[in-house]
Amino acid sequence: MKKRLFSGIQPSGDVHIGNYLGAIKNWIALLNDYDCIFSIVDYHAITVEYDPGLMQKRILNAAAVNIGAGLDPDRCILFVQSQVPEHTELTWILNSLTPMGLLERMTQYKDKAKQNEKNVNVGLFDYPVLQTADILLYKGCAVPIGEDQLQHVELSREIARKFNMRYGELFPEPQHLLSDAPRIMGLDGKSKMSKSMDNYISLIEDPDTIWKKLSRATTDENRKRRNDPGNPEICNLFTLHKYFSNETEIAKVNKECRTAEIGCIECKRILSDNMVKALAPIREKSLALMNKPDDVLDVLNTGAKKCRKIAEETMEEVRSLMGLRLVKV
Ligand code: TYM
């Protein structure tokens, strides 16, 4: 039997190349080796202010883009978190095992609390416990993620251990899997590429916008004039070349940037052309799926049905180990 793998993505904005290179591409590569479950985690996306009128579309688009990128729903389960109520039920139970101090240490919470000073709610604080419940509900062993989620997966191991020690062995300790691009920086070159910041290229970006965004992107800041030699090793766009250009092009850009034979504009042009080419099939398939929402809904409903069955079974085991619900007197 294959090991179970779980991961998720928030429907909080456009799915971007950071999500793709850091997570989704790896999810697709792992489809054969694991019994895979992927979730559009809408409960996670409500911990910051959002427009409820846009949520349905965001969920649908996130699902469409994941499938469009190659997450074949015939080879995995894809579902929406809020279609399986056990996620929140298990969260409450795990809350009672999680020390406040552990959550206070979470760097993503600290960052988000700073960004959302007027709305530092309990959900934002408790977010890593919900993430732990997501994984443990399906007894997930492997969790492919970007680097920003490492601390959360570590926490899920601690919570699983605590549960097993207190109530009896039930949950595997989930192990993280990182891709070869665990942290893609934003186009500003300063912060992580993120859905909530205007520093990303979406997976369905049109060719003109890709060029516009890249042409404004930060490069090696020490290179002030066209004729100054550049330093690819500190240039964020050179990093992106590594994922979109072929070896000959990468070697050429590396050499000709250092000798100032090419300037940043030429380098960006090569990257833009390659990115447009690489994203074209994803864009085409995703847009086609967005125009067929019923097909996407079918995939998600089928996924949710399978997940509810697994989740119900796990919760029965959890309640039984914990002595919850009056079964017989
Ligand atoms: P989210 O929606 O922020 O991101 C989805 C996945 O993309 C990765 N990622 C990146 N990787 C590399 N470079 C980047 N700039 C970049 N930005 C995002 C993330 O690490 C993630 O793997 N809390 C999670 C979703 C979640 C989850 C889970 C994940 C909920 N429950 C259970 C694993 C298991 C999140 O907000 O991901």
Side-chain angles (χ1 to χ4, degrees):
M1 243 176 54
K2 287 182 188 170
K3 279 191 183 168
R4 170 83 37 82
L5 174 153
F6 185 96
S7 203
I9 184 163
Q10 287 194 56
S12 54
D14 295 333
V15 180
H16 53 69
I17 58 171
N19 298 128
Y20 180 67
L21 298 171
I24 301 166
K25 203 173 159 197
N26 209 17
W27 298 354
I28 297 162
L30 294 164
L31 283 176
N32 278 342
D33 300 334
Y34 291 88
D35 169 16
C36 295
I37 304 182
F38 300 105
S39 183
I40 311 296
V41 289
D42 50 351
Y43 280 146
H44 279 88
I46 63 171
T47 55
V48 294
E49 264 176 49
Y50 72 101
D51 180 348
L54 292 180
M55 189 53 113
Q56 293 281 302
K57 200 152 196 211
R58 284 183 164 184
I59 293 173
L60 180 76
N61 288 1
V65 173
N66 273 280
I67 302 169
L71 205 67
D72 179 357
D74 290 333
R75 292 158 70 209
C76 65
I77 297 180
L78 182 65
F79 78 106
V80 181
Q81 186 184 33
S82 65
Q83 283 190 295
V84 184
E86 283 82 359
H87 285 255
T88 46
E89 187 182 356
L90 185 57
T91 303
W92 177 253
I93 285 172
L94 301 180
N95 275 340
S96 314
L97 283 169
T98 310
M100 298 275 285
L102 278 187
L103 293 183
E104 275 159 5
R105 262 194 253 148
M106 295 293 122
T107 51
Q108 196 172 77
Y109 164 68
K110 287 193 260 185
D111 290 347
K112 286 209 174 166
K114 240 186 252 161
Q115 285 163 20
N116 301 282
E117 260 176 4
K118 294 204 180 90
N119 184 21
V120 185
N121 57 70
V122 178
L124 198 63
F125 184 66
D126 200 30
Y127 177 113
V129 182
L130 176 59
Q131 181 157 341
T132 301
D134 297 341
I135 303 166
L136 299 189
L137 200 49
Y138 306 99
K139 301 187 181 160
C141 297
V143 187
I145 40 150
E147 199 180 71
D148 60 325
Q149 298 301 322
L150 263 180
Q151 203 185 19
H152 291 162
V153 180
E154 267 164 34
L155 178 84
S156 72
R157 281 199 282 278
E158 280 197 53
I159 298 178
R161 216 173 299 138
K162 267 179 180 283
F163 183 98
N164 292 343
M165 274 170 58
R166 174 135 8 137
Y167 299 112
E169 199 68 26
L170 181 65
F171 296 122
E173 288 180 24
Q175 303 301 317
H176 60 261
L177 300 174
L178 290 179
S179 75
D180 62 352
R183 187 180 171 82
I184 295 292
M185 298 301 285
L187 298 176
D188 53 5
K190 293 189 174 66
S191 37
K192 189 193 66 139
M193 187 171 285
S194 163
K195 295 190 205 94
S196 57
M197 292 172 80
D198 188 17
N199 70 356
Y200 65 81
I201 292 183
S202 103
L203 280 187
I204 55 164
E205 212 82 78
D206 65 79
D208 281 350
T209 311
I210 292 182
W211 170 244
K212 264 188 215 132
K213 287 191 170 182
L214 283 179
S215 58
R216 285 197 299 262
T218 307
T219 54
D220 165 11
E221 287 184 309
N222 295 331
R223 192 175 187 189
K224 304 267 187 264
R225 287 170 299 264
R226 164 68 182 79
N227 292 337
D228 290 347
N231 301 286
E233 66 278 4
I234 56 164
C235 175
N236 185 37
L237 293 196
F238 184 67
T239 309
L240 288 181
H241 266 291
K242 292 184 193 155
Y243 301 107
F244 291 99
S245 302
N246 65 35
E247 275 178 31
T248 320
E249 287 165 322
I250 295 168
K252 182 174 147 72
V253 167
N254 188 17
K255 177 177 157 286
E256 295 183 357
C257 167
R258 287 180 199 285
T259 52
E261 277 167 83
I262 57 167
C264 293
I265 286 292
E266 287 109 314
C267 166
K268 287 173 169 181
R269 185 41 90 183
I270 302 168
L271 179 60
S272 174
D273 289 348
N274 290 337
M275 208 181 267
V276 167
K277 242 184 266 161
L279 298 187
I282 297 179
R283 175 177 146 80
E284 200 182 312
K285 190 161 178 210
S286 304
L287 294 180
L289 283 165
M290 284 176 197
N291 286 325
K292 285 191 191 164
D294 287 346
D295 289 7
V296 179
L297 192 62
D298 276 351
V299 167
L300 296 172
N301 283 338
T302 307
K305 205 169 155 200
K306 290 181 187 160
C307 282
R308 274 196 295 268
K309 186 166 177 295
I310 306 170
E312 276 165 20
E313 283 167 13
T314 304
M315 285 313 299
E316 277 303 318
E317 291 176 294
V318 168
R319 288 187 214 105
S320 156
L321 283 171
M322 295 179 71
L324 296 172
R325 284 199 186 164
L326 197 54
V327 188
K328 56 175 183 246
V329 189

